[in-house]
PDB file of all heavy atoms in Angstrom:
ATOM      1  N   PHE A  13       0.811  -1.218   0.020  1.00  0.00           N
ATOM      2  CA  PHE A  13      -0.021  -0.016  -0.023  1.00  0.00           C
ATOM      3  C   PHE A  13       0.857   1.270  -0.003  1.00  0.00           C
ATOM      4  O   PHE A  13       1.880   1.319   0.637  1.00  0.00           O
ATOM      5  CB  PHE A  13      -0.884   0.096   1.263  1.00  0.00           C
ATOM      6  CG  PHE A  13      -1.731  -1.153   1.496  1.00  0.00           C
ATOM      7  CD1 PHE A  13      -2.104  -1.461   2.823  1.00  0.00           C
ATOM      8  CD2 PHE A  13      -2.144  -1.962   0.497  1.00  0.00           C
ATOM      9  CE1 PHE A  13      -2.896  -2.634   3.009  1.00  0.00           C
ATOM     10  CE2 PHE A  13      -2.946  -3.118   0.683  1.00  0.00           C
ATOM     11  CZ  PHE A  13      -3.306  -3.429   1.976  1.00  0.00           C
ATOM     12  N   VAL A  14       0.415   2.294  -0.686  1.00  0.00           N
ATOM     13  CA  VAL A  14       1.076   3.595  -0.590  1.00  0.00           C
ATOM     14  C   VAL A  14       0.169   4.463   0.298  1.00  0.00           C
ATOM     15  O   VAL A  14      -1.018   4.700  -0.029  1.00  0.00           O
ATOM     16  CB  VAL A  14       1.246   4.263  -2.001  1.00  0.00           C
ATOM     17  CG1 VAL A  14       1.917   5.603  -1.837  1.00  0.00           C
ATOM     18  CG2 VAL A  14       2.004   3.308  -2.935  1.00  0.00           C
ATOM     19  N   GLN A  15       0.700   4.981   1.351  1.00  0.00           N
ATOM     20  CA  GLN A  15      -0.023   5.665   2.350  1.00  0.00           C
ATOM     21  C   GLN A  15      -0.181   7.177   2.030  1.00  0.00           C
ATOM     22  O   GLN A  15      -1.166   7.800   2.424  1.00  0.00           O
ATOM     23  CB  GLN A  15       0.602   5.559   3.730  1.00  0.00           C
ATOM     24  CG  GLN A  15       0.635   4.177   4.272  1.00  0.00           C
ATOM     25  CD  GLN A  15      -0.698   3.737   4.900  1.00  0.00           C
ATOM     26  OE1 GLN A  15      -1.720   3.767   4.261  1.00  0.00           O
ATOM     27  NE2 GLN A  15      -0.629   3.384   6.163  1.00  0.00           N
ATOM     28  N   ALA A  16       0.806   7.758   1.331  1.00  0.00           N
ATOM     29  CA  ALA A  16       0.798   9.185   1.056  1.00  0.00           C
ATOM     30  C   ALA A  16       1.717   9.517  -0.111  1.00  0.00           C
ATOM     31  O   ALA A  16       2.669   8.870  -0.355  1.00  0.00           O
ATOM     32  CB  ALA A  16       1.197   9.963   2.351  1.00  0.00           C
ATOM     33  N   ALA A  17       1.366  10.673  -0.799  1.00  0.00           N
ATOM     34  CA  ALA A  17       2.231  11.130  -1.826  1.00  0.00           C
ATOM     35  C   ALA A  17       2.150  12.702  -1.868  1.00  0.00           C
ATOM     36  O   ALA A  17       1.084  13.234  -1.585  1.00  0.00           O
ATOM     37  CB  ALA A  17       1.777  10.573  -3.184  1.00  0.00           C
ATOM     38  N   ARG A  18       3.288  13.301  -2.233  1.00  0.00           N
ATOM     39  CA  ARG A  18       3.302  14.800  -2.184  1.00  0.00           C
ATOM     40  C   ARG A  18       4.146  15.318  -3.368  1.00  0.00           C
ATOM     41  O   ARG A  18       5.135  14.695  -3.754  1.00  0.00           O
ATOM     42  CB  ARG A  18       4.000  15.335  -0.917  1.00  0.00           C
ATOM     43  CG  ARG A  18       3.467  14.773   0.359  1.00  0.00           C
ATOM     44  CD  ARG A  18       2.280  15.477   0.889  1.00  0.00           C
ATOM     45  NE  ARG A  18       1.857  14.876   2.181  1.00  0.00           N
ATOM     46  CZ  ARG A  18       0.817  15.315   2.872  1.00  0.00           C
ATOM     47  NH1 ARG A  18       0.075  16.290   2.403  1.00  0.00           N
ATOM     48  NH2 ARG A  18       0.545  14.781   4.038  1.00  0.00           N
ATOM     49  N   PHE A  19       3.699  16.380  -3.991  1.00  0.00           N
ATOM     50  CA  PHE A  19       4.501  17.093  -4.960  1.00  0.00           C
ATOM     51  C   PHE A  19       5.604  17.883  -4.326  1.00  0.00           C
ATOM     52  O   PHE A  19       5.517  18.370  -3.191  1.00  0.00           O
ATOM     53  CB  PHE A  19       3.652  18.120  -5.715  1.00  0.00           C
ATOM     54  CG  PHE A  19       2.786  17.573  -6.841  1.00  0.00           C
ATOM     55  CD1 PHE A  19       1.412  17.497  -6.658  1.00  0.00           C
ATOM     56  CD2 PHE A  19       3.341  17.104  -8.002  1.00  0.00           C
ATOM     57  CE1 PHE A  19       0.562  17.051  -7.602  1.00  0.00           C
ATOM     58  CE2 PHE A  19       2.448  16.638  -9.009  1.00  0.00           C
ATOM     59  CZ  PHE A  19       1.101  16.631  -8.829  1.00  0.00           C
ATOM     60  N   SER A  20       6.712  18.064  -5.068  1.00  0.00           N
ATOM     61  CA  SER A  20       7.714  19.084  -4.701  1.00  0.00           C
ATOM     62  C   SER A  20       7.139  20.424  -5.055  1.00  0.00           C
ATOM     63  O   SER A  20       6.164  20.493  -5.878  1.00  0.00           O
ATOM     64  CB  SER A  20       9.066  18.818  -5.427  1.00  0.00           C
ATOM     65  OG  SER A  20       8.885  18.935  -6.764  1.00  0.00           O
ATOM     66  N   LYS A  21       7.710  21.490  -4.488  1.00  0.00           N
ATOM     67  CA  LYS A  21       7.155  22.856  -4.808  1.00  0.00           C
ATOM     68  C   LYS A  21       7.216  23.164  -6.240  1.00  0.00           C
ATOM     69  O   LYS A  21       6.301  23.827  -6.830  1.00  0.00           O
ATOM     70  CB  LYS A  21       7.921  23.876  -3.982  1.00  0.00           C
ATOM     71  CG  LYS A  21       7.213  25.259  -3.970  1.00  0.00           C
ATOM     72  CD  LYS A  21       7.809  26.150  -2.958  1.00  0.00           C
ATOM     73  CE  LYS A  21       7.066  27.485  -2.908  1.00  0.00           C
ATOM     74  NZ  LYS A  21       7.585  28.391  -1.893  1.00  0.00           N
ATOM     75  N   ASP A  22       8.320  22.776  -6.916  1.00  0.00           N
ATOM     76  CA  ASP A  22       8.459  23.029  -8.400  1.00  0.00           C
ATOM     77  C   ASP A  22       7.691  22.031  -9.285  1.00  0.00           C
ATOM     78  O   ASP A  22       7.748  22.135 -10.458  1.00  0.00           O
ATOM     79  CB  ASP A  22       9.897  23.183  -8.756  1.00  0.00           C
ATOM     80  CG  ASP A  22      10.680  21.836  -8.463  1.00  0.00           C
ATOM     81  OD1 ASP A  22      10.087  20.814  -8.205  1.00  0.00           O
ATOM     82  OD2 ASP A  22      11.978  21.923  -8.536  1.00  0.00           O
ATOM     83  N   GLU A  23       7.145  21.031  -8.587  1.00  0.00           N
ATOM     84  CA  GLU A  23       6.404  19.974  -9.318  1.00  0.00           C
ATOM     85  C   GLU A  23       7.207  19.114 -10.248  1.00  0.00           C
ATOM     86  O   GLU A  23       6.677  18.356 -11.051  1.00  0.00           O
ATOM     87  CB  GLU A  23       5.181  20.553 -10.087  1.00  0.00           C
ATOM     88  CG  GLU A  23       4.189  21.294  -9.237  1.00  0.00           C
ATOM     89  CD  GLU A  23       3.019  21.882 -10.057  1.00  0.00           C
ATOM     90  OE1 GLU A  23       2.705  21.316 -11.091  1.00  0.00           O
ATOM     91  OE2 GLU A  23       2.450  22.936  -9.601  1.00  0.00           O
ATOM     92  N   ASP A  24       8.552  19.134 -10.043  1.00  0.00           N
ATOM     93  CA  ASP A  24       9.403  18.288 -10.866  1.00  0.00           C
ATOM     94  C   ASP A  24       9.470  16.855 -10.327  1.00  0.00           C
ATOM     95  O   ASP A  24       9.903  16.002 -11.077  1.00  0.00           O
ATOM     96  CB  ASP A  24      10.805  18.830 -10.959  1.00  0.00           C
ATOM     97  CG  ASP A  24      10.878  20.098 -11.819  1.00  0.00           C
ATOM     98  OD1 ASP A  24       9.970  20.271 -12.626  1.00  0.00           O
ATOM     99  OD2 ASP A  24      11.873  20.856 -11.718  1.00  0.00           O
ATOM    100  N   SER A  25       9.186  16.728  -9.041  1.00  0.00           N
ATOM    101  CA  SER A  25       9.263  15.392  -8.453  1.00  0.00           C
ATOM    102  C   SER A  25       8.104  15.129  -7.496  1.00  0.00           C
ATOM    103  O   SER A  25       7.377  16.058  -7.090  1.00  0.00           O
ATOM    104  CB  SER A  25      10.553  15.232  -7.730  1.00  0.00           C
ATOM    105  OG  SER A  25      10.648  16.147  -6.629  1.00  0.00           O
ATOM    106  N   VAL A  26       7.928  13.835  -7.115  1.00  0.00           N
ATOM    107  CA  VAL A  26       6.926  13.394  -6.254  1.00  0.00           C
ATOM    108  C   VAL A  26       7.535  12.484  -5.209  1.00  0.00           C
ATOM    109  O   VAL A  26       8.417  11.644  -5.564  1.00  0.00           O
ATOM    110  CB  VAL A  26       5.776  12.690  -7.046  1.00  0.00           C
ATOM    111  CG1 VAL A  26       4.958  11.851  -6.082  1.00  0.00           C
ATOM    112  CG2 VAL A  26       4.920  13.629  -7.785  1.00  0.00           C
ATOM    113  N   LEU A  27       7.100  12.580  -4.002  1.00  0.00           N
ATOM    114  CA  LEU A  27       7.533  11.697  -2.884  1.00  0.00           C
ATOM    115  C   LEU A  27       6.316  10.753  -2.589  1.00  0.00           C
ATOM    116  O   LEU A  27       5.134  11.148  -2.589  1.00  0.00           O
ATOM    117  CB  LEU A  27       7.919  12.465  -1.638  1.00  0.00           C
ATOM    118  CG  LEU A  27       9.223  13.228  -1.653  1.00  0.00           C
ATOM    119  CD1 LEU A  27       9.325  14.047  -0.374  1.00  0.00           C
ATOM    120  CD2 LEU A  27      10.432  12.307  -1.759  1.00  0.00           C
ATOM    121  N   SER A  28       6.676   9.528  -2.253  1.00  0.00           N
ATOM    122  CA  SER A  28       5.604   8.569  -1.789  1.00  0.00           C
ATOM    123  C   SER A  28       6.098   7.769  -0.610  1.00  0.00           C
ATOM    124  O   SER A  28       7.276   7.507  -0.457  1.00  0.00           O
ATOM    125  CB  SER A  28       5.194   7.645  -2.909  1.00  0.00           C
ATOM    126  OG  SER A  28       6.253   6.919  -3.383  1.00  0.00           O
ATOM    127  N   ALA A  29       5.130   7.498   0.319  1.00  0.00           N
ATOM    128  CA  ALA A  29       5.421   6.704   1.511  1.00  0.00           C
ATOM    129  C   ALA A  29       4.607   5.447   1.516  1.00  0.00           C
ATOM    130  O   ALA A  29       3.388   5.488   1.280  1.00  0.00           O
ATOM    131  CB  ALA A  29       5.136   7.516   2.723  1.00  0.00           C
ATOM    132  N   SER A  30       5.272   4.286   1.722  1.00  0.00           N
ATOM    133  CA  SER A  30       4.552   3.010   1.599  1.00  0.00           C
ATOM    134  C   SER A  30       4.695   2.113   2.825  1.00  0.00           C
ATOM    135  O   SER A  30       5.676   2.189   3.549  1.00  0.00           O
ATOM    136  CB  SER A  30       5.075   2.271   0.349  1.00  0.00           C
ATOM    137  OG  SER A  30       4.565   0.968   0.238  1.00  0.00           O
ATOM    138  N   VAL A  31       3.714   1.208   2.907  1.00  0.00           N
ATOM    139  CA  VAL A  31       3.779   0.219   3.997  1.00  0.00           C
ATOM    140  C   VAL A  31       4.924  -0.763   3.758  1.00  0.00           C
ATOM    141  O   VAL A  31       5.292  -1.556   4.602  1.00  0.00           O
ATOM    142  CB  VAL A  31       2.433  -0.542   3.986  1.00  0.00           C
ATOM    143  CG1 VAL A  31       2.405  -1.711   4.949  1.00  0.00           C
ATOM    144  CG2 VAL A  31       1.320   0.460   4.378  1.00  0.00           C
ATOM    145  N   ASP A  32       5.515  -0.778   2.539  1.00  0.00           N
ATOM    146  CA  ASP A  32       6.688  -1.634   2.260  1.00  0.00           C
ATOM    147  C   ASP A  32       7.930  -1.130   2.929  1.00  0.00           C
ATOM    148  O   ASP A  32       9.057  -1.528   2.778  1.00  0.00           O
ATOM    149  CB  ASP A  32       6.919  -1.887   0.808  1.00  0.00           C
ATOM    150  CG  ASP A  32       7.300  -0.579   0.040  1.00  0.00           C
ATOM    151  OD1 ASP A  32       7.639   0.428   0.669  1.00  0.00           O
ATOM    152  OD2 ASP A  32       7.298  -0.613  -1.208  1.00  0.00           O
ATOM    153  N   CYS A  33       7.742  -0.076   3.839  1.00  0.00           N
ATOM    154  CA  CYS A  33       8.830   0.498   4.692  1.00  0.00           C
ATOM    155  C   CYS A  33       9.789   1.429   3.842  1.00  0.00           C
ATOM    156  O   CYS A  33      10.894   1.678   4.356  1.00  0.00           O
ATOM    157  CB  CYS A  33       9.650  -0.551   5.384  1.00  0.00           C
ATOM    158  SG  CYS A  33       8.642  -1.668   6.397  1.00  0.00           S
ATOM    159  N   THR A  34       9.393   1.859   2.685  1.00  0.00           N
ATOM    160  CA  THR A  34      10.252   2.742   1.888  1.00  0.00           C
ATOM    161  C   THR A  34       9.576   4.063   1.523  1.00  0.00           C
ATOM    162  O   THR A  34       8.360   4.185   1.474  1.00  0.00           O
ATOM    163  CB  THR A  34      10.639   2.051   0.538  1.00  0.00           C
ATOM    164  OG1 THR A  34       9.522   1.904  -0.265  1.00  0.00           O
ATOM    165  CG2 THR A  34      11.316   0.709   0.873  1.00  0.00           C
ATOM    166  N   ILE A  35      10.456   5.039   1.323  1.00  0.00           N
ATOM    167  CA  ILE A  35      10.113   6.329   0.697  1.00  0.00           C
ATOM    168  C   ILE A  35      10.693   6.299  -0.736  1.00  0.00           C
ATOM    169  O   ILE A  35      11.826   5.905  -0.915  1.00  0.00           O
ATOM    170  CB  ILE A  35      10.770   7.498   1.479  1.00  0.00           C
ATOM    171  CG1 ILE A  35      10.249   7.492   2.964  1.00  0.00           C
ATOM    172  CG2 ILE A  35      10.449   8.778   0.784  1.00  0.00           C
ATOM    173  CD1 ILE A  35       8.808   7.809   3.110  1.00  0.00           C
ATOM    174  N   ALA A  36       9.915   6.740  -1.629  1.00  0.00           N
ATOM    175  CA  ALA A  36      10.363   6.811  -3.055  1.00  0.00           C
ATOM    176  C   ALA A  36      10.277   8.223  -3.589  1.00  0.00           C
ATOM    177  O   ALA A  36       9.347   8.947  -3.240  1.00  0.00           O
ATOM    178  CB  ALA A  36       9.604   5.844  -3.936  1.00  0.00           C
ATOM    179  N   ARG A  37      11.204   8.628  -4.450  1.00  0.00           N
ATOM    180  CA  ARG A  37      11.168   9.879  -5.145  1.00  0.00           C
ATOM    181  C   ARG A  37      11.070   9.602  -6.640  1.00  0.00           C
ATOM    182  O   ARG A  37      11.826   8.834  -7.181  1.00  0.00           O
ATOM    183  CB  ARG A  37      12.381  10.700  -4.874  1.00  0.00           C
ATOM    184  CG  ARG A  37      12.314  12.154  -5.352  1.00  0.00           C
ATOM    185  CD  ARG A  37      13.471  13.014  -4.937  1.00  0.00           C
ATOM    186  NE  ARG A  37      14.690  12.759  -5.681  1.00  0.00           N
ATOM    187  CZ  ARG A  37      15.870  12.477  -5.208  1.00  0.00           C
ATOM    188  NH1 ARG A  37      15.983  12.371  -3.882  1.00  0.00           N
ATOM    189  NH2 ARG A  37      16.896  12.240  -5.929  1.00  0.00           N
ATOM    190  N   TRP A  38      10.082  10.240  -7.298  1.00  0.00           N
ATOM    191  CA  TRP A  38       9.772  10.001  -8.687  1.00  0.00           C
ATOM    192  C   TRP A  38       9.970  11.246  -9.541  1.00  0.00           C
ATOM    193  O   TRP A  38       9.622  12.312  -9.054  1.00  0.00           O
ATOM    194  CB  TRP A  38       8.347   9.556  -8.781  1.00  0.00           C
ATOM    195  CG  TRP A  38       7.879   8.429  -7.853  1.00  0.00           C
ATOM    196  CD1 TRP A  38       7.430   8.579  -6.587  1.00  0.00           C
ATOM    197  CD2 TRP A  38       7.982   7.007  -8.130  1.00  0.00           C
ATOM    198  NE1 TRP A  38       7.161   7.322  -6.029  1.00  0.00           N
ATOM    199  CE2 TRP A  38       7.464   6.390  -6.968  1.00  0.00           C
ATOM    200  CE3 TRP A  38       8.348   6.264  -9.250  1.00  0.00           C
ATOM    201  CZ2 TRP A  38       7.374   5.001  -6.862  1.00  0.00           C
ATOM    202  CZ3 TRP A  38       8.227   4.853  -9.151  1.00  0.00           C
ATOM    203  CH2 TRP A  38       7.754   4.263  -7.953  1.00  0.00           C
ATOM    204  N   ASP A  39      10.523  11.063 -10.710  1.00  0.00           N
ATOM    205  CA  ASP A  39      10.657  12.145 -11.660  1.00  0.00           C
ATOM    206  C   ASP A  39       9.330  12.294 -12.385  1.00  0.00           C
ATOM    207  O   ASP A  39       8.842  11.328 -13.034  1.00  0.00           O
ATOM    208  CB  ASP A  39      11.776  11.823 -12.672  1.00  0.00           C
ATOM    209  CG  ASP A  39      11.951  12.971 -13.650  1.00  0.00           C
ATOM    210  OD1 ASP A  39      12.606  13.903 -13.348  1.00  0.00           O
ATOM    211  OD2 ASP A  39      11.408  12.878 -14.797  1.00  0.00           O
ATOM    212  N   VAL A  40       8.701  13.491 -12.302  1.00  0.00           N
ATOM    213  CA  VAL A  40       7.386  13.650 -12.877  1.00  0.00           C
ATOM    214  C   VAL A  40       7.413  13.503 -14.444  1.00  0.00           C
ATOM    215  O   VAL A  40       6.499  13.011 -15.022  1.00  0.00           O
ATOM    216  CB  VAL A  40       6.789  15.091 -12.494  1.00  0.00           C
ATOM    217  CG1 VAL A  40       5.559  15.416 -13.278  1.00  0.00           C
ATOM    218  CG2 VAL A  40       6.497  15.034 -11.029  1.00  0.00           C
ATOM    219  N   LEU A  41       8.452  14.018 -15.047  1.00  0.00           N
ATOM    220  CA  LEU A  41       8.523  13.992 -16.543  1.00  0.00           C
ATOM    221  C   LEU A  41       8.598  12.581 -17.093  1.00  0.00           C
ATOM    222  O   LEU A  41       7.851  12.164 -17.937  1.00  0.00           O
ATOM    223  CB  LEU A  41       9.698  14.863 -17.041  1.00  0.00           C
ATOM    224  CG  LEU A  41       9.740  15.074 -18.526  1.00  0.00           C
ATOM    225  CD1 LEU A  41       8.517  15.834 -19.036  1.00  0.00           C
ATOM    226  CD2 LEU A  41      11.018  15.895 -18.899  1.00  0.00           C
ATOM    227  N   SER A  42       9.560  11.831 -16.543  1.00  0.00           N
ATOM    228  CA  SER A  42       9.782  10.449 -17.066  1.00  0.00           C
ATOM    229  C   SER A  42       8.949   9.410 -16.331  1.00  0.00           C
ATOM    230  O   SER A  42       8.689   8.331 -16.916  1.00  0.00           O
ATOM    231  CB  SER A  42      11.269  10.100 -16.878  1.00  0.00           C
ATOM    232  OG  SER A  42      11.627   9.981 -15.545  1.00  0.00           O
ATOM    233  N   GLY A  43       8.537   9.650 -15.127  1.00  0.00           N
ATOM    234  CA  GLY A  43       7.823   8.615 -14.373  1.00  0.00           C
ATOM    235  C   GLY A  43       8.765   7.632 -13.618  1.00  0.00           C
ATOM    236  O   GLY A  43       8.287   6.697 -13.036  1.00  0.00           O
ATOM    237  N   ASP A  44      10.019   7.818 -13.755  1.00  0.00           N
ATOM    238  CA  ASP A  44      11.024   6.937 -13.192  1.00  0.00           C
ATOM    239  C   ASP A  44      11.198   7.194 -11.703  1.00  0.00           C
ATOM    240  O   ASP A  44      11.092   8.341 -11.248  1.00  0.00           O
ATOM    241  CB  ASP A  44      12.349   7.043 -13.900  1.00  0.00           C
ATOM    242  CG  ASP A  44      12.335   6.640 -15.386  1.00  0.00           C
ATOM    243  OD1 ASP A  44      11.434   5.808 -15.700  1.00  0.00           O
ATOM    244  OD2 ASP A  44      13.175   7.114 -16.118  1.00  0.00           O
ATOM    245  N   CYS A  45      11.552   6.145 -10.975  1.00  0.00           N
ATOM    246  CA  CYS A  45      11.928   6.271  -9.593  1.00  0.00           C
ATOM    247  C   CYS A  45      13.405   6.603  -9.502  1.00  0.00           C
ATOM    248  O   CYS A  45      14.290   5.823  -9.946  1.00  0.00           O
ATOM    249  CB  CYS A  45      11.684   4.940  -8.861  1.00  0.00           C
ATOM    250  SG  CYS A  45      12.101   4.988  -7.099  1.00  0.00           S
ATOM    251  N   THR A  46      13.707   7.832  -9.046  1.00  0.00           N
ATOM    252  CA  THR A  46      15.095   8.274  -9.024  1.00  0.00           C
ATOM    253  C   THR A  46      15.781   7.984  -7.721  1.00  0.00           C
ATOM    254  O   THR A  46      17.030   8.023  -7.621  1.00  0.00           O
ATOM    255  CB  THR A  46      15.115   9.800  -9.250  1.00  0.00           C
ATOM    256  OG1 THR A  46      14.362  10.472  -8.306  1.00  0.00           O
ATOM    257  CG2 THR A  46      14.554  10.145 -10.663  1.00  0.00           C
ATOM    258  N   LYS A  47      15.046   7.686  -6.605  1.00  0.00           N
ATOM    259  CA  LYS A  47      15.582   7.344  -5.340  1.00  0.00           C
ATOM    260  C   LYS A  47      14.603   6.569  -4.531  1.00  0.00           C
ATOM    261  O   LYS A  47      13.423   6.871  -4.521  1.00  0.00           O
ATOM    262  CB  LYS A  47      16.062   8.597  -4.637  1.00  0.00           C
ATOM    263  CG  LYS A  47      16.886   8.350  -3.359  1.00  0.00           C
ATOM    264  CD  LYS A  47      18.264   7.868  -3.719  1.00  0.00           C
ATOM    265  CE  LYS A  47      19.109   7.581  -2.502  1.00  0.00           C
ATOM    266  NZ  LYS A  47      20.517   7.130  -2.882  1.00  0.00           N
ATOM    267  N   ARG A  48      15.084   5.556  -3.819  1.00  0.00           N
ATOM    268  CA  ARG A  48      14.212   4.754  -2.999  1.00  0.00           C
ATOM    269  C   ARG A  48      15.023   4.296  -1.753  1.00  0.00           C
ATOM    270  O   ARG A  48      16.098   3.803  -1.909  1.00  0.00           O
ATOM    271  CB  ARG A  48      13.607   3.549  -3.683  1.00  0.00           C
ATOM    272  CG  ARG A  48      12.553   2.813  -2.960  1.00  0.00           C
ATOM    273  CD  ARG A  48      11.927   1.717  -3.787  1.00  0.00           C
ATOM    274  NE  ARG A  48      10.995   0.945  -3.076  1.00  0.00           N
ATOM    275  CZ  ARG A  48      10.346  -0.136  -3.564  1.00  0.00           C
ATOM    276  NH1 ARG A  48      10.549  -0.449  -4.807  1.00  0.00           N
ATOM    277  NH2 ARG A  48       9.461  -0.757  -2.850  1.00  0.00           N
ATOM    278  N   PHE A  49      14.536   4.567  -0.592  1.00  0.00           N
ATOM    279  CA  PHE A  49      15.270   4.177   0.628  1.00  0.00           C
ATOM    280  C   PHE A  49      14.354   3.826   1.736  1.00  0.00           C
ATOM    281  O   PHE A  49      13.195   4.240   1.831  1.00  0.00           O
ATOM    282  CB  PHE A  49      16.173   5.293   1.060  1.00  0.00           C
ATOM    283  CG  PHE A  49      15.511   6.673   1.189  1.00  0.00           C
ATOM    284  CD1 PHE A  49      14.882   7.047   2.345  1.00  0.00           C
ATOM    285  CD2 PHE A  49      15.470   7.558   0.111  1.00  0.00           C
ATOM    286  CE1 PHE A  49      14.291   8.273   2.520  1.00  0.00           C
ATOM    287  CE2 PHE A  49      14.856   8.742   0.224  1.00  0.00           C
ATOM    288  CZ  PHE A  49      14.315   9.134   1.403  1.00  0.00           C
ATOM    289  N   GLN A  50      14.862   2.966   2.661  1.00  0.00           N
ATOM    290  CA  GLN A  50      14.087   2.600   3.828  1.00  0.00           C
ATOM    291  C   GLN A  50      14.259   3.649   4.932  1.00  0.00           C
ATOM    292  O   GLN A  50      15.210   4.408   4.966  1.00  0.00           O
ATOM    293  CB  GLN A  50      14.659   1.275   4.414  1.00  0.00           C
ATOM    294  CG  GLN A  50      14.186   0.016   3.664  1.00  0.00           C
ATOM    295  CD  GLN A  50      14.501  -1.192   4.452  1.00  0.00           C
ATOM    296  OE1 GLN A  50      15.527  -1.356   5.102  1.00  0.00           O
ATOM    297  NE2 GLN A  50      13.584  -2.205   4.413  1.00  0.00           N
TER     298      GLN A  50
END
């Protein structure tokens, strides 16, 4: 499950928080995950 997601102020990236114990950062233009960490 993904519990929450937020835009960056410039809207270039998105953060998401999941029950899988990770935070992910996504590039809005490409849709790629640029960083993921526990």
Side-chain angles (χ1 to χ4, degrees):
F13 308 152
V14 182
Q15 296 279 58
R18 311 276 183 179
F19 280 109
S20 61
K21 190 169 184 179
D22 59 15
E23 299 180 28
D24 287 342
S25 64
V26 162
L27 288 173
S28 58
S30 173
V31 174
D32 66 11
C33 305
T34 66
I35 300 294
R37 189 173 77 232
W38 310 87
D39 181 83
V40 169
L41 188 61
S42 67
D44 294 335
C45 180
T46 58
K47 190 71 178 181
R48 188 174 177 182
F49 51 88
Q50 281 192 324

